Structure formats: C-alpha cells, structure tokens
Amino acid sequence: MNRQHDDPIERWKFLLLSIAVVAVLLFLFLHPRQGTDYDREMVEVVIIEKEISEMNGREIYLIHGEDRYGTQKTFQITNAALNERFEESKVYQEIKTGKYYKFKVADEETYESYYPSICGAVKLIEGFSPESAAP
C-alpha cells in the first residue's frame, strides 16, 4: 500500500530531475565555454635560429623559423602560454636548429608577449606535411 503512495512522489522527482538535466544540457549547448582556442593555430616551421634576448629587464626566449613558402617567422616561448606546465627555458633547450617542428601558436596579445607565443603541442616532424601544402 505504501508503494502506491510513493509512486506519484517518485514520478515527480524523476520528472523534475529530468527537466533539470535537460535545462543544464541546453544551457551548455547554447552558451559554450568562452576560451582562447580560437586565437590559436598550428604552424609548421624549420628552425633557423634561437636566441635569448632581453626586453624590459627580463629574458625572452625567441625561436626564428621559416615556413614552407620561405616566410620567416619569430615566436616567443613564455611560461604563461605554456600554462606553467613546462618551464620556458626547458622547452627552449629541447627545440633544435635545422629541425622541422609543428606547434600551436597564439597571437602576442593573448599572452601579452612581444611575438606570437608557442603555447603547446611542440612536435618534431620529418619535414613539412603534405596536408598543409595549400596556402
């Protein structure tokens, strides 16, 4: 007999829980998390030169590279761009001149750096990949 009395209450609980879950999913779908991923792009370069420079009294780690079209680009390694998961000096040491790399880059404004920042996914590659051949 108690079971008949509990059924309407359980149904209401289930209904309210279902509505809450749907509302949360709808909210997440309609209002996605705003991140800075849209400011990032993958680039492939051959490393021409590395340098440690000083600007405004602090060392900055610079990587000079060239893309497949011969365009020279300069990138900066910063702790902020690496989410402090890695130390900028260690990443700088790992990148070798004359080698090809593919890495994720963010605009300089994103991390308040002087040059576009290497912000992750540093990967040594054999050469420029065929899929990025189109300009």
Side-chain angles (χ1 to χ4, degrees):
M1 293 187 100
N2 260 351
R3 185 150 181 94
Q4 289 176 356
H5 190 299
D6 289 341
D7 279 344
I9 294 173
E10 291 299 318
R11 287 183 192 161
W12 278 105
K13 285 182 184 177
F14 179 76
L15 181 63
L16 290 175
L17 181 63
S18 298
I19 291 172
V21 167
V22 169
V24 168
L25 290 175
L26 255 168
F27 178 80
L28 292 175
F29 180 73
L30 295 175
H31 302 288
R33 182 180 69 94
Q34 299 296 319
T36 57
D37 286 344
Y38 61 89
D39 290 336
R40 298 176 183 175
E41 66 175 322
M42 294 300 287
V43 297
E44 292 181 358
V45 294
V46 60
I47 306 304
I48 298 170
E49 181 185 0
K50 300 175 6 174
E51 71 173 300
I52 300 173
S53 185
E54 189 172 313
M55 290 185 152
N56 294 331
R58 66 180 268 258
E59 288 184 334
I60 61 169
Y61 296 88
L62 300 177
I63 303 294
H64 303 281
E66 190 173 283
D67 68 10
R68 72 173 55 253
Y69 306 107
T71 305
Q72 293 195 357
K73 300 180 178 213
T74 301
F75 304 102
Q76 183 175 345
I77 304 171
T78 65
N79 283 332
L82 297 172
N83 263 347
E84 299 185 11
R85 291 174 291 167
F86 304 101
E87 191 175 318
E88 57 194 9
S89 62
K90 302 273 189 214
V91 173
Y92 177 84
Q93 290 172 355
E94 293 295 319
I95 297 174
K96 307 293 182 204
T97 57
K99 300 286 184 180
Y100 292 82
Y101 289 90
K102 182 175 188 174
F103 42 75
K104 194 179 284 189
V105 176
D107 292 335
E108 52 269 21
E109 295 88 26
T110 304
Y111 295 104
E112 298 177 2
S113 57
Y114 299 101
Y115 298 94
S117 297
I118 296 173
C119 56
V122 175
K123 180 180 177 187
L124 180 64
I125 56 177
E126 295 294 320
F128 294 118
S129 62
E131 65 265 8
S132 65

